[in-house]
Amino acid sequence: MDPKQLPFVHPLNVVSKLANQSRDMHSVPRRNVRMIALGCIAALCVSALGAGAIMKSDVVNLKSGASIDGTIVKRTDRRIWIDVGPDVLSFSVDDVASVDSQTASANVELKVESIYTTAVGLLELPPREQAKILGPAVIKVSTPSGLGSGVILSRDGYAITNAHVVQGETNLRATVWFAQADGTLKRTDLDDVELVAVNNHIDLALIRLKHPEGKDFQFAPVQDAEKLENGQSVFAIGSPLGLERTLTQGVISTTQRSFDGLTYIQTDTPINPGNSGGPLFNTQGEIIGITNMGIRGGEALGFAIPARYVKDFVRNREAFAYDRNNPNSGHNYQKPPARTSDGAPPELKDGTGNVSPAKSTALAPSKS
């Protein structure tokens, strides 16, 4: 028979028929019927491909054991859509074991800015999938007095962490995880860590690692234009209480929470001591913030420094350059003196900004 004359049965019709039959099949569990349906969808896809369709470059491997070849047209942290030629099929990520995609990376455009990188065309993936990709970019930063987390920003080994993690320390150690050919990660301690710049005002520090084999580091992209929404899914990777490579997830509670003249991302993602300096990711795998604090006694009250502060700090790192011979180098912002009385200063009340005669006399130096 000519392949063009082959009858086409819509996969969703197959699922519907199986669901209707399951009402009368009391001895067949619903899970088995669901697996049979997914298997039928895969079989239909294979038949369509065998009937003359062009082989695509993406493969979706289902937990049922079936594999579907096609082109992934859309992917979120909840569902995946794949074009198999005659139709576009949609699957829940809970039914997917793994995805082999060549078109996904081909559509990503990287842009190097200073010593960090932004990306365009990244796919939304669930945190468990993003962790496999971004895991090697997250590090643990240790000092004689404590530890925190960090994230690598460039292939040259530049990484960001919190200033309070390295405050007053010069003996730094970084623990990194190098990806191996078999898919595992090799834990390695690096003692050659350079402290490049520190900004205590926004609680950020830039460090640089040296690869023991002189190779490039795997890094994570920073979000370019800020796109944050309340309720947006996010996740953090770090070493809370020294528990390495811990992934926690939640949502953005508030995109703009102000403290002491700075704004932070508020999230219900669990943030604990040891998470400080680690990345807060969106579902596209972009760094949207650097976690730096949580409120003790509060529940689900974590905060992260927005990526825009990180980018500004990195661009102007020379102004905050660390000098081993002068630990106080760089700009330090001191808190202004507290007001001694309520209300506006007298010189501002008349709208002129001039100091009143009485005030001027009080401020004048005494004559001997």
Side-chain angles (χ1 to χ4, degrees):
M1 180 183 293
D2 185 355
K4 296 181 180 179
Q5 298 177 356
L6 287 172
F8 176 73
V9 181
H10 198 289
L12 296 181
N13 292 338
V14 177
V15 177
S16 178
K17 290 180 180 179
L18 287 171
N20 292 333
Q21 292 175 4
S22 65
R23 297 191 183 98
D24 301 326
M25 298 167 59
H26 301 288
S27 61
V28 180
R30 277 187 163 283
R31 177 178 176 83
N32 291 351
V33 173
R34 190 161 177 257
M35 290 300 185
I36 294 171
L38 292 174
C40 290
I41 293 175
L44 287 170
C45 296
V46 173
S47 298
L49 291 170
I54 300 175
M55 292 294 292
K56 304 298 182 180
S57 57
D58 300 330
V59 180
V60 175
N61 301 306
L62 302 177
K63 292 181 179 179
S64 63
S67 297
I68 299 177
D69 297 332
T71 300
I72 295 176
V73 294
K74 185 178 179 181
R75 190 172 181 180
T76 69
D77 61 332
R78 297 180 180 274
R79 300 197 69 81
I80 183 169
W81 289 261
I82 182 169
D83 185 355
V84 297
D87 204 352
V88 175
L89 305 181
S90 172
F91 298 96
S92 169
V93 294
D94 295 332
D95 296 324
V96 177
S98 64
V99 177
D100 301 324
S101 177
Q102 297 179 11
T103 57
S105 57
N107 295 330
V108 175
E109 179 183 347
L110 298 179
K111 183 179 180 181
V112 179
E113 301 268 0
S114 183
I115 57 174
Y116 65 87
T117 301
T118 60
V120 178
L122 293 171
L123 293 175
E124 291 187 38
L125 299 173
R128 62 184 176 88
E129 293 292 333
Q130 290 288 12
K132 299 175 185 177
I133 301 171
L134 302 168
V138 181
I139 64 175
K140 182 177 77 172
V141 181
S142 305
T143 69
S145 61
L147 61 86
S149 303
V151 59
I152 300 174
L153 300 180
S154 73
R155 65 181 75 252
D156 298 326
Y158 284 98
I160 204 81
T161 186
N162 282 147
H164 74 258
V165 171
V166 300
Q167 193 68 48
E169 302 289 351
T170 56
N171 185 15
L172 307 179
R173 170 181 290 183
T175 303
V176 299
W177 286 264
F178 294 121
Q180 304 298 298
D182 60 357
T184 61
L185 296 175
K186 180 182 178 182
R187 184 184 186 276
T188 305
D189 289 329
L190 302 180
D191 294 320
D192 191 359
V193 179
E194 176 188 359
L195 184 56
V196 179
V198 181
N199 186 337
N200 295 316
H201 181 56
I202 58 176
D203 195 19
L204 289 175
L206 182 67
I207 60 177
R208 188 174 186 180
L209 318 177
K210 291 185 179 179
H211 199 292
E213 299 177 3
K215 299 180 179 179
D216 292 339
F217 285 92
Q218 288 187 249
F219 59 90
V222 181
Q223 187 178 47
D224 189 6
E226 187 174 278
K227 297 178 182 178
L228 305 176
E229 295 180 355
N230 293 347
Q232 179 181 342
S233 297
V234 294
F235 65 98
I237 303 177
S239 302
L241 302 178
L243 301 175
E244 300 171 348
R245 301 186 53 72
T246 297
L247 185 151
T248 55
Q249 63 184 100
V251 299
I252 293 178
S253 304
T254 300
T255 60
Q256 304 272 345
R257 181 66 68 193
S258 297
F259 293 113
D260 296 329
L262 299 174
T263 58
Y264 297 87
I265 301 170
Q266 181 180 332
T267 175
D268 67 352
T269 304
I271 304 297
N272 298 288
N275 274 116
S276 295
L280 184 69
F281 292 109
N282 59 15
T283 53
Q284 289 181 301
E286 297 173 309
I287 300 171
I288 63 170
I290 299 297
T291 59
N292 75 318
M293 62 179 176
I295 295 182
R296 292 184 178 181
E299 185 175 349
L301 294 174
F303 300 89
I305 303 166
R308 65 178 184 276
Y309 287 164
V310 177
K311 292 184 288 187
D312 287 341
F313 168 59
V314 170
R315 291 192 197 105
N316 300 286
R317 60 189 178 279
E318 290 157 358
F320 304 94
Y322 174 79
D323 183 356
R324 182 178 292 273
N325 298 321
N326 180 16
N328 295 319
S329 60
H331 293 292
N332 289 309
Y333 296 87
Q334 306 299 331
K335 287 188 176 181
R339 290 186 178 182
T340 57
S341 60
D342 295 333
E347 55 268 27
L348 297 181
K349 289 184 177 180
D350 60 2
T352 64
N354 296 325
V355 179
S356 63
K359 187 76 172 179
S360 177
T361 302
L363 295 176
S366 60
K367 296 182 180 180
S368 56

